[in-house]
Amino acid sequence: MNVIFEIIGDPDAPETGVQSNFEVPPTDMGEVVTVGELRQWFPYVGHYHFRAKTPWAGSHIWMDLTEDTSPVPVWDGEIHNPVPMKIKEGGYSTAVIRVLPLDYGDDAYGASMGGEDAEVYTMEMVDFSTPAPSGRAGVEMLRRPSSSEDDGLVGDDVMGAIKRQSATAMAEATRAAEQLREQANAALNSEAAQDIRRKTAQGAKAGMSMLKMAWKAAKKGVEDLQTQVSTGGGRPRPPSPMECAALATLAHDFQHGAGDADKAAARANPMLLDLWSLLVAGEPFRVEGQAWKKLGFVNPRPMEDLKASGVLGLRTMLHFAAVYPAKIQLILKEQAPRTDRHYPLAIVANNITLMVAEVLRLRFAGFADLEICGWGIFNVEGEAAAFEVFAEVVCLLIRLLDARWKRTGATRRRFGELIAGLRRDFESLMQEDPLDLQDLLHLAMDRQLMY
């Protein structure tokens, strides 16, 4: 069953009004899904009350779902959902529900945000539906060999699923590579290029620099096309084996300790020390403490706020602090007051990390058969290179949100709207099928999304 949901409740909560979707796979195609199963597969921790959109007298009503054994009503009418989603067909039904948060695990829902010293909401529950594992029994989370938690190759279960290269695709890649080489040679020896050489020294230098860049891109394209499974040329395709290997390293970090702060802490503590050293001056390092709230955390134990993203969220924020120190210090200074018109940076950065991870389907290795454009940005070798691509995308979106927040005078209740806008921007950039990270950043600059 495809489930489309909207979070309702406290109008001042940043989650309210956010829409997304997830999947509940039945045991047998066509079998009804119960409220208990809906609760089991709902992708966020906490306690929630559900209401389902149900046909009634030519219109509809919202039915409270109180019995876990009751079937979830199916909605066959028109669907209005601003979040792009891939609806499964072939026997899959659709349910439209409203979700009222009762609590988020240990945190009561609806605490006051008034006053300068009031706590802010933990905005982890914003628009990040995750694809459910295939089959009722689920799948084992992606992990590396048990002999080493942080080193080694990706497990055979994942790599076996992603190595699907065919002779037909390889032949197509070779033909496309030859065409690309011929076009590059033609450009370098064209009359236009010769004319540029005859012009002023400055013009000739600029023109030849441009042609050399084109040749470099052409050669990279030849290499990429010869090693990838598919050569979509702007058409949606699944990631190549090399791209899957890069994404698998990100999925490992995303799922390492996700939902378990104690498990994540063992690896996270050295990174917390690095983050503290970069951003907190004049205070001795503490794994727990109120000082973390200065960095935009809500919980004095920072990994509690980041538990939905494993250690990937922490690594990404550390990258932001190390690579863009002036920008992050400016944001922390500007957003220091805890009011409705200021946002907690760490929580916002984590939400953006979760959003990008959802678009890429990092959870449960959902990327392996996801056909989209833009996978070329992950055609890199090694865990460090893969992480740099991911982190730079998140940093781009953090800076973009900050600019829009200040330009529009946003408040926290608009947070879901801003995140949805960032998701549309990222997916639109990926639709352009960038060759690599630099190509994606150039596209963002052309669209005036760079800040």
Side-chain angles (χ1 to χ4, degrees):
M1 170 178 280
N2 301 298
V3 180
I4 301 169
F5 69 90
E6 176 186 8
I7 297 179
I8 61 175
D10 189 336
D12 292 328
E15 306 84 22
T16 300
V18 169
Q19 296 180 335
S20 192
N21 62 281
F22 64 99
E23 174 194 332
V24 179
T27 302
D28 298 311
M29 200 61 68
E31 180 182 338
V32 299
V33 174
T34 66
V35 176
E37 290 169 322
L38 173 69
R39 200 180 307 280
Q40 174 187 350
W41 286 92
F42 191 67
Y44 306 124
V45 296
H47 299 87
Y48 304 89
H49 177 72
F50 300 111
R51 293 173 179 167
K53 193 173 186 179
T54 307
W56 180 264
S59 183
H60 69 272
I61 59 172
W62 291 95
M63 178 184 296
D64 290 298
L65 306 180
T66 57
E67 298 293 334
D68 282 356
T69 56
S70 300
V72 176
V74 173
W75 177 255
D76 295 324
E78 188 175 356
I79 296 174
H80 300 281
N81 183 31
V83 179
M85 58 184 178
K86 188 174 182 180
I87 296 295
K88 287 196 173 184
E89 300 177 351
Y92 272 72
S93 56
T94 299
V96 179
I97 64 172
R98 286 178 173 173
V99 183
L100 175 64
L102 302 179
D103 66 70
Y104 295 138
D106 296 333
D107 301 322
Y109 176 75
S112 171
M113 283 203 310
E116 183 175 341
D117 296 326
E119 298 296 344
V120 298
Y121 288 120
T122 301
M123 294 185 283
E124 270 187 358
M125 317 308 293
V126 180
D127 189 10
F128 306 116
S129 63
T130 56
S134 59
R136 182 67 65 180
V139 295
E140 181 181 357
M141 294 177 72
L142 174 64
R143 55 173 297 159
R144 300 181 181 183
S146 57
S147 59
S148 174
E149 279 295 322
D150 298 315
D151 297 305
L153 300 176
V154 179
D156 292 339
D157 54 339
V158 176
M159 292 307 296
I162 62 180
K163 292 181 178 178
R164 299 188 291 266
Q165 185 165 356
S166 68
T168 302
M170 195 63 196
E172 182 181 347
T174 302
R175 288 194 299 271
E178 289 301 323
Q179 293 175 0
L180 189 56
R181 184 180 288 110
E182 292 172 3
Q183 291 171 1
N185 282 328
L188 286 170
N189 296 286
S190 66
E191 292 183 3
Q194 295 174 15
D195 183 64
I196 289 175
R197 295 188 188 101
R198 289 191 296 266
K199 292 185 183 295
T200 65
Q202 182 179 2
K205 183 178 179 180
M208 290 309 298
S209 175
M210 179 179 65
L211 290 172
K212 287 178 180 179
M213 289 177 61
W215 172 242
K216 183 178 179 180
K219 289 203 302 182
K220 183 181 185 304
V222 169
E223 295 168 358
D224 292 348
L225 288 170
Q226 289 176 333
T227 57
Q228 291 178 2
V229 173
S230 174
T231 57
R235 297 189 300 272
R237 61 171 178 85
S240 71
M242 176 177 283
E243 293 158 357
C244 275
L247 291 161
T249 65
L250 297 173
H252 174 265
D253 278 352
F254 186 55
Q255 295 170 185
H256 182 88
D260 186 342
D262 292 329
K263 182 180 178 181
R267 185 179 174 197
N269 286 350
M271 287 187 280
L272 288 173
L273 174 59
D274 291 340
L275 186 64
W276 183 282
S277 301
L278 288 169
L279 300 179
V280 181
E283 295 187 37
F285 171 69
R286 296 182 180 85
V287 175
E288 302 179 21
Q290 298 300 314
W292 286 106
K293 295 184 178 181
K294 298 178 182 178
L295 308 186
F297 291 94
V298 174
N299 198 297
R301 296 182 65 195
M303 289 312 296
E304 285 290 339
D305 288 340
L306 305 179
K307 60 187 177 183
S309 60
V311 298
L312 186 60
L314 176 58
R315 285 192 71 190
T316 304
M317 187 168 180
L318 180 57
H319 178 91
F320 189 32
V323 179
Y324 304 98
K327 183 63 177 179
I328 195 171
Q329 290 287 2
L330 178 61
I331 293 176
L332 290 173
K333 180 179 179 180
E334 292 176 338
Q335 303 301 327
R338 290 200 288 268
T339 73
D340 187 52
R341 292 191 175 277
H342 299 83
Y343 64 83
L345 175 60
I347 298 300
V348 168
N350 192 51
N351 273 273
I352 294 175
T353 298
L354 289 169
M355 180 269 287
V356 175
E358 160 59 16
V359 172
L360 301 176
R361 301 288 175 86
L362 293 186
R363 199 181 300 276
F364 304 115
F367 54 80
D369 57 359
L370 176 63
E371 296 188 4
I372 60 173
C373 297
W375 284 130
I377 65 175
F378 289 103
N379 190 38
V380 295
E381 188 172 355
E383 184 274 341
F387 172 72
E388 182 183 5
V389 173
F390 181 90
E392 283 297 319
V393 168
V394 173
C395 290
L396 165 68
L397 297 177
I398 293 174
R399 300 195 304 270
L400 179 56
L401 179 138
D402 180 70
R404 288 177 176 172
W405 185 284
K406 290 185 288 190
R407 185 174 68 247
T408 63
T411 61
R412 287 182 187 151
R413 70 177 61 192
R414 288 194 57 204
F415 180 72
E417 175 187 338
L418 291 174
I419 285 287
L422 292 181
R423 177 170 182 155
R424 288 191 296 270
D425 288 328
F426 176 46
E427 291 179 329
S428 178
L429 289 173
M430 292 288 279
Q431 282 292 328
E432 294 293 325
D433 206 20
L435 292 172
D436 53 24
L437 174 62
Q438 291 304 315
D439 194 17
L440 182 141
L441 295 178
H442 283 308
L443 288 170
M445 186 177 299
D446 290 342
R447 297 186 182 190
Q448 298 183 335
L449 301 178
M450 292 283 287
Y451 288 91

